[in-house]
Amino acid sequence: MEPQNAEVRIQARCTWATQKHLIRQSEGEMGALALLDSVLFGDANIICHAILPVLGRAFAGDVALKFLGIAFLGIGLWAWNEKGVLSNISSITDLGGFDPVWLFLVVGGVMFILGFAGCIGALRENTFLLKFFSVFLGIIFFLELTAGVLAFVFKDWIKDQLYFFINNNIRAYRDDIDLQNLIDFTQEYWQCCGAFGADDWNLNIYFNCTDSNASRERCGVPFSCCTKDPAEDVINTQCGYDARQKPEVDQQIVIYTKGCVPQFEKWLQDNLTIVAGIFIGIALLQVFGICLAQNLVSDIEAVRASW
C-alpha cells in the first residue's frame, strides 16, 4: 500500500468521473443530477491533477505515522521484555512510580490507530474508517484543549499534583532503571534536585537521613543533582554522597538546591512562545486532518449517491 498505488486509484476515479461528466453533457441531460455532476466533476482533470499531489503526500504521511507507531510500540515491548515484564504481567502494577515505557506504548498505539484508520480509509474509500479517524482525532484535540484550559485555571492544583507525582517517583527511584534515567535526565536538564528542594530525597529509603538507614547514600542525593565541573570528562556518580549533611551554603557549591517544579515553571515562562507555537502547530495539524477526512467522506458519499 504505497502512495503511488493510492494515486493510481485516485487517478482512475478521476478519469471515470471526467468520462461520466462528458457522456452526460453529450446526451444533453439537465436537472439536478446534471448540476451535481457539474459541481462534482466539472473540470475534473484540472481538479484531480491539483489534488493528487496533496492526497499522495497525505497518504504517505498516514503510512509514516503508522510505521512510526509500530516503532514506538516495538521499543516499548522490547523494554518490557528486557525488564521481564512480559514474562510476568502482574509485575506491571508492582512499580510504585511511573514507568516511562507507558509513554512509548500509549503514544505508539495512538499513532498506529490513527495511521491505520487514515491510511486504509483513504485508500479503500472506507467512510467508516475515515469517520473513526475524524472522531478519534477530534477527541484527542478536545482532551488537549480541556487540559490546557484546566492547567491555566487551576495552576495551584496542577502544581500540587506535579509535586505529588515527582515525590512519588522519588520513592521508587531505585525500583526501575527507566524511571531512574528519566529522573536523572530531568534533574540534569533543569539543574534541579527533588520537587521543591534536595531534602525531598528524604522520601527515598536509600537517601533519607534517619539513623536506621545503613545505606552509603544516607543523607545524599543522586549524582544528577550535582553541579557539573566542565573540567571533568567522567561523571562522578558518588558526588552526592553526604551532600545534605553539609551546611546550606556549602551545599550550593556541590549540588543544585532548587526544586524541579520551580525550575520547570521558570523554563516554561522563558520558552512560552516556543511552547505555545508547538502546541498551536499540533492543533492546526489535527484540525486540518479532521477537515481533510470529513471532506473526503463527503466526496465519497456524493459520488456514491450519483451512481
Side-chain angles (χ1 to χ4, degrees):
M1 298 190 304
E2 296 180 352
Q4 291 82 357
N5 296 333
E7 291 185 10
V8 170
R9 183 179 177 85
I10 297 167
Q11 181 64 66
R13 178 57 63 112
C14 290
T15 303
W16 169 82
T18 306
Q19 292 173 349
K20 183 175 180 180
H21 175 63
L22 292 175
I23 291 172
R24 284 189 168 167
Q25 275 191 331
S26 64
E27 293 176 352
E29 290 189 15
M30 301 297 290
L33 190 59
L35 179 60
L36 178 63
D37 275 347
S38 297
V39 173
L40 292 176
F41 309 128
D43 296 326
N45 278 325
I46 297 175
I47 295 172
C48 288
H49 287 353
I51 293 177
L52 270 175
V54 178
L55 290 179
R57 286 193 294 269
F59 184 83
D62 285 332
V63 172
L65 189 66
K66 181 171 68 174
F67 282 106
L68 194 60
I70 292 175
F72 271 69
L73 286 171
I75 293 172
L77 293 175
W78 171 80
W80 266 2
N81 182 63
E82 288 294 306
K83 293 191 292 187
V85 174
L86 295 182
S87 58
N88 183 18
I89 300 298
S90 62
S91 63
I92 293 177
T93 59
D94 292 342
L95 181 63
F98 172 71
D99 189 349
V101 175
W102 280 109
L103 285 175
F104 287 92
L105 294 176
V106 173
V107 173
V110 170
M111 292 173 68
F112 175 78
I113 292 172
L114 285 174
F116 178 84
C119 173
I120 303 301
L123 180 66
R124 304 302 302 174
E125 298 178 1
N126 189 310
T127 55
F128 173 78
L129 286 177
L130 289 172
K131 289 177 181 178
F132 173 80
F133 175 87
S134 298
V135 172
F136 194 27
L137 200 57
I139 291 174
I140 294 174
F141 176 77
F142 176 76
L143 290 176
E144 291 172 348
L145 185 63
T146 303
V149 172
L150 291 177
F152 180 77
V153 175
F154 302 103
K155 292 180 182 179
D156 293 335
W157 182 83
I158 294 295
K159 186 185 296 186
D160 292 339
Q161 293 302 309
L162 187 59
Y163 173 74
F164 173 79
F165 175 79
I166 294 176
N167 283 341
N168 191 46
N169 287 292
I170 284 176
R171 293 186 181 93
Y173 177 74
R174 294 293 190 197
D175 296 346
D176 182 79
I177 186 63
D178 293 324
L179 176 61
Q180 182 175 321
N181 290 333
L182 179 62
I183 293 176
D184 287 336
F185 170 79
T186 302
Q187 294 188 144
E188 287 180 337
Y189 183 79
W190 278 308
Q191 297 184 351
C192 58
C193 191
F196 282 98
D199 286 336
D200 288 331
W201 282 98
N202 274 326
L203 297 171
N204 187 277
I205 60 173
Y206 298 100
F207 295 100
N208 68 62
C209 293
T210 58
D211 295 334
S212 59
N213 183 10
S215 170
R216 178 62 187 86
E217 295 174 312
R218 177 180 176 273
C219 260
V221 291
F223 71 92
S224 53
C225 284
C226 297
T227 56
K228 300 299 179 288
D229 184 355
E232 289 185 355
D233 295 329
V234 180
I235 297 176
N236 179 12
T237 57
Q238 299 180 0
C239 61
Y241 284 11
D242 304 321
R244 290 186 293 118
Q245 288 183 336
K246 300 176 181 179
E248 187 173 349
V249 177
D250 295 336
Q251 286 185 25
Q252 296 177 0
I253 301 174
V254 181
I255 63 174
Y256 303 122
T257 55
K258 295 180 179 179
C260 290
V261 173
Q263 286 295 89
F264 174 72
E265 287 181 314
K266 182 179 179 299
W267 176 87
L268 199 59
Q269 292 174 356
D270 294 341
N271 299 274
L272 188 58
T273 303
I274 298 175
V275 174
I278 292 174
F279 276 99
I280 291 173
I282 294 174
L284 289 176
L285 285 175
Q286 291 172 332
V287 172
F288 175 75
I290 294 172
C291 293
L292 187 62
Q294 288 299 109
N295 184 60
L296 188 54
V297 169
S298 299
D299 290 344
I300 293 172
E301 291 178 345
V303 170
R304 287 175 179 173
S306 65
W307 290 351

